[in-house]
Amino acid sequence: MFEKRAVVFLYAVSPVHMGAGTAAGIVDNPIQRERHTGHPCFAGSGIKGAIRHGFSSIGGDESLIDQLFGPRSGSENLHAGAISFGDGQLVAFPVRSLRGGYVYASCPHALARAKRLLGTAGVMVDWVIPDVADGECHVVNRSLLSDQAKLHLEAFEYDGAGSEAQSPHLKSIAQDISDRALPSQNGYEFFRNKIASDLVLLSDTDFAHFAEHATVVEPHVRIDDDTGTATDGGLFYTENLPPESLMIAPLLASATRKPDGDDKTPTRAADVLPMIGNVIDGKLLQIGGDATTGRGLVVARVHGG
């Protein structure tokens, strides 16, 4: 039973490919998505495996790996690890905007889930999440709107005329996310400020469209060395979560476990959580596939516990 809980914000610095295997559609290698929302997600097992793989390289004590993550498959002394990651859920998604370059789009459902996860980790936030109708939007930064109070995202237009009354609520949420989701180093200052000013609230329906159709889809070609042309079946399309996407995942800890016959006193869950949280907090991690092409770079922030 997990006794301590925290949450991890994961902010994409590069495109991220957490693969879902092959598919029969146009995209050959899609990313992982939730079945009920269609939102991109990160499987908790993938997060845990990636952090285990790079634990020592980001400053972790290599001798703690088996205690925290469990021994590798095939070990003579198998036991469960003391930490676990839940699935990463989407909080904000970058969408191309006529003004401001891009915005951080979110929706009431995504914010409510983030608020719930923070609460389970003992981080109580007083977010008042506004309702928003289809075809409308709420903004913090009024300069994103045209003279007719319209917000233009991709090829779509949203009515922001009624957003002024909800701006204080959304501004408070945006500032809180900005403070929590990104490190305090100067390299992230621009993005912290942009989240605080350019968070946009769409309806659950409108947001779901961008979460499904505004990802990065790249063509790849395998070339035959002898002919110099594409091999049969060598053209394929890979989907990536775009950079500047923001996810949140639960981090759970229990007391360390031990093999049969080991009389070592287990480490308490309250002491286990900092062993992982202090290591990954503020660090640049690599998760998912295509690491050799610079994919999968995310920066982590840990809260709670």
Side-chain angles (χ1 to χ4, degrees), residues 132-155:
V132 57
D134 292 349
E136 297 181 357
C137 67
H138 297 320
V139 300
V140 176
N141 182 4
R142 303 286 297 180
S143 68
L144 294 172
L145 304 178
S146 67
D147 295 339
Q148 291 77 35
K150 302 294 185 182
L151 176 70
H152 296 91
L153 302 179
E154 298 283 355

Side-chain angles (χ1 to χ4, degrees), residues 83-105:
I83 63 101
S84 179
F85 288 87
D87 292 351
Q89 303 170 4
L90 187 60
V91 178
F93 189 81
V95 179
R96 185 163 53 109
S97 172
L98 182 63
R99 295 190 174 186
Y102 72 94
V103 300
Y104 292 93

Side-chain angles (χ1 to χ4, degrees), residues 33-219:
R33 292 182 179 274
E34 295 176 334
R35 179 68 176 175
H36 64 302
T37 65
H39 293 181
C41 64
F42 293 163
S45 58
I47 300 173
K48 181 177 178 179
I51 293 176
R52 179 195 173 106
H53 179 73
F55 189 66
S56 59
S57 65
I58 59 174
D61 184 347
E62 190 170 358
S63 67
L64 297 176
I65 290 178
D66 285 357
Q67 295 181 52
L68 296 178
F69 300 94
R72 292 188 179 277
S73 176
S75 171
E76 294 181 358
N77 298 313
L78 290 176
H79 60 84
I83 63 101
S84 179
F85 288 87
D87 292 351
Q89 303 170 4
L90 187 60
V91 178
F93 189 81
V95 179
R96 185 163 53 109
S97 172
L98 182 63
R99 295 190 174 186
Y102 72 94
V103 300
Y104 292 93
S106 191
C107 68
H109 181 242
L111 292 180
R113 297 177 79 186
K115 180 179 180 180
R116 180 177 65 187
L117 270 184
L118 285 163
T120 64
V123 182
M124 308 309 296
V125 293
D126 57 353
W127 298 354
V128 178
I129 302 172
D131 292 327
V132 57
D134 292 349
E136 297 181 357
C137 67
H138 297 320
V139 300
V140 176
N141 182 4
R142 303 286 297 180
S143 68
L144 294 172
L145 304 178
S146 67
D147 295 339
Q148 291 77 35
K150 302 294 185 182
L151 176 70
H152 296 91
L153 302 179
E154 298 283 355
F156 299 92
E157 181 180 87
Y158 298 93
D159 185 4
S163 71
E164 192 164 359
Q166 300 296 343
S167 290
H169 296 311
L170 188 60
K171 182 177 181 180
S172 176
I173 294 171
Q175 187 62 60
D176 201 14
I177 292 175
S178 170
D179 292 340
R180 296 182 190 278
L182 284 171
S184 58
Q185 291 98 312
N186 288 337
Y188 297 98
E189 182 178 4
F190 172 87
F191 303 97
R192 290 197 308 271
N193 293 339
K194 188 168 179 65
I195 290 176
S197 66
D198 290 358
L199 185 69
V200 169
L201 194 67
L202 304 177
S203 72
D204 293 340
T205 302
D206 292 334
F207 177 76
H209 170 83
F210 291 113
E212 182 175 358
H213 298 291
T215 54
V216 180
V217 178
E218 300 172 327

Side-chain angles (χ1 to χ4, degrees), residues 232-254:
D232 291 339
L235 173 63
F236 59 97
Y237 292 86
T238 297
E239 184 180 25
N240 293 275
L241 188 72
E244 321 315 331
S245 300
L246 179 63
M247 313 287 286
I248 187 172
L251 170 59
L252 312 172
S254 68

